[in-house]
Amino acid sequence: MEIFGKEIAVKSHGCNVMDEPGQRIAPSVNLFVKVTKGCNAHCKFCSNANSTDASSVFNIPKLITVIKELKGNGICINRINITGGEPSVVSPLVYKILDTVEENSFDDIHLHLNTNGLLPQSQEMMRHPRWDSISMSLHHYDVSKLSELYGCRIPEKAFDFEGIDLQKVNSSCNLVKGYIDNAEEAHKMLDFNLDLGIPRVGFVALMKVNDYCWEHFVDLEDIHLDSIPHVYFTKSMNRGSDCKCSNYLYNRDLKILEIYMRNYANPNYCESSLVYDGEYLRQGFHQDNIIY
């Protein structure tokens, strides 16, 4: 389909479920709104680890033009994902975007905290009532281990989450050698999320973007999730050789935790993913693919 006179790839079929082919759906995209490259953490496994750019120069009217162009061409926006860097380092900008989106009655606004929801400025942003859903990186159950991973001090009361609707939250746990790297540690993470009141958790293998990731890589298969008592496989979904994920449920004391695992992903796959960085709209996360 076309927007701004250029062809874009949209999702026209849902994911294959097990061996059943995906059903035809309305043309749809996910719109990622990258508000900054800056970050308040220094995670060694991150390709953005050394970025200090917290610039808030951002063309909000152009974002609204992009959204209206998509809708005007009959393209469904599954979610508007506010991401970074770390969005909370440019909180005033994020709040301006939320106010503008609210004025234009756009739905399905998602916050993606690329570092964590454990610092005061992150939790303040999570309390904003406009979010329909929130993704939060949470790579360990121990504050000292998290401080090591993030390269910044995590306060002892980081897990209080006062005033935050945790039913909107899903946590994402990177598998890192020496941290969460086996079934026993994964089991502790499941219990930890369940005790916090977070209803969904995802386990993710590191992207091999630097030496640290190569040296600390843990394969999802090494976790043996189905060996954990009361973990039950529910389904797998895929888009052929481009990506595959598996879903499980964990049941403890009549409490249910949803589990998501990304089995594999082609980093060049960008069908239906549009990225707006405040200046340009691109297909996928590649710098040379400017649409508008």
Side-chain angles (χ1 to χ4, degrees):
M1 298 187 70
E2 277 195 4
I3 58 170
F4 303 114
K6 292 190 177 181
E7 287 285 335
I8 63 167
V10 300
K11 186 178 287 187
S12 59
H13 288 78
C15 293
N16 303 327
V17 179
M18 313 293 253
D19 294 326
E20 294 296 320
Q23 301 298 307
R24 178 171 287 279
I25 59 174
S28 60
V29 297
N30 289 310
L31 177 60
F32 294 86
V33 181
K34 192 167 185 175
V35 292
T36 181
K37 294 180 181 178
C39 187
N40 53 10
H42 307 281
C43 305
K44 294 178 181 178
F45 50 75
C46 179
S47 60
N48 202 41
N50 296 316
S51 177
T52 57
D53 177 16
S55 171
S56 58
V57 176
F58 192 99
N59 189 334
I60 296 178
K62 188 171 181 178
L63 170 61
I64 302 303
T65 299
V66 166
I67 295 171
K68 289 182 176 179
E69 175 77 3
L70 289 166
K71 289 180 174 286
N73 283 277
I75 300 171
C76 172
I77 302 175
N78 289 327
R79 285 197 310 195
I80 299 174
N81 299 273
I82 306 296
T83 184
E86 171 54 41
S88 66
V89 302
V90 289
S91 297
L93 169 61
V94 174
Y95 296 142
K96 286 180 183 177
I97 292 172
L98 287 177
D99 289 342
T100 306
V101 169
E102 186 73 18
E103 291 170 6
N104 288 271
S105 302
F106 297 126
D107 298 325
D108 299 318
I109 312 298
H110 178 80
L111 172 64
H112 192 109
L113 294 165
N114 277 334
T115 55
N116 53 74
L118 306 180
L119 299 178
Q121 62 267 46
S122 303
Q123 294 198 3
E124 181 181 351
M125 181 170 287
M126 293 170 74
R127 294 187 191 98
H128 195 287
R130 184 58 189 84
W131 305 119
D132 294 296
S133 56
I134 300 170
S135 289
M136 174 186 70
S137 294
L138 183 60
H139 306 309
H140 209 274
Y141 50 83
D142 182 87
V143 167
S144 62
K145 287 283 192 178
L146 284 167
S147 294
E148 289 176 9
L149 279 168
Y150 293 134
C152 62
R153 182 181 174 275
I154 304 297
E156 289 296 326
K157 294 185 178 180
F159 300 127
D160 287 354
F161 295 113
E162 183 179 351
I164 296 171
D165 182 359
L166 290 176
Q167 288 303 304
K168 294 182 179 180
V169 176
N170 64 272
S171 68
S172 178
C173 176
N174 280 350
L175 303 179
V176 182
K177 190 177 295 183
Y179 295 90
I180 305 301
D181 58 4
N182 58 58
E184 181 180 356
E185 290 297 303
H187 194 175
K188 291 178 181 177
M189 276 301 293
L190 297 180
D191 284 334
F192 183 68
N193 278 268
L194 205 59
D195 291 338
L196 284 176
I198 296 174
R200 293 167 293 276
V201 60
F203 289 108
V204 184
L206 292 176
M207 297 286 286
K208 296 177 180 178
V209 295
N210 56 35
D211 290 343
Y212 182 92
C213 294
W214 278 94
E215 293 166 6
H216 292 79
F217 179 81
V218 178
D219 195 296
L220 288 168
E221 298 296 327
D222 295 338
I223 296 299
H224 302 293
L225 199 66
D226 52 6
S227 70
I228 299 174
H230 309 297
V231 169
Y232 306 98
F233 171 79
T234 56
K235 66 179 178 180
S236 67
M237 302 174 69
N238 71 82
R239 299 194 72 78
S241 60
D242 287 313
C243 64
K244 178 183 177 181
C245 62
S246 299
N247 297 84
Y248 301 79
L249 291 177
Y250 175 54
N251 175 20
R252 193 205 71 195
D253 301 330
L254 301 180
K255 295 179 181 178
I256 299 294
L257 180 70
E258 298 177 23
I259 307 169
Y260 163 90
M261 295 184 76
R262 175 64 59 86
N263 298 75
Y264 58 80
N266 173 5
N268 295 315
Y269 175 69
C270 63
E271 180 185 85
S272 81
S273 294
L274 298 179
V275 181
Y276 178 66
D277 63 4
E279 184 178 9
Y280 296 113
L281 178 71
R282 294 178 170 87
Q283 176 94 62
F285 294 85
H286 306 293
Q287 295 300 311
D288 59 349
N289 192 7
I290 296 175
I291 296 168
Y292 174 62

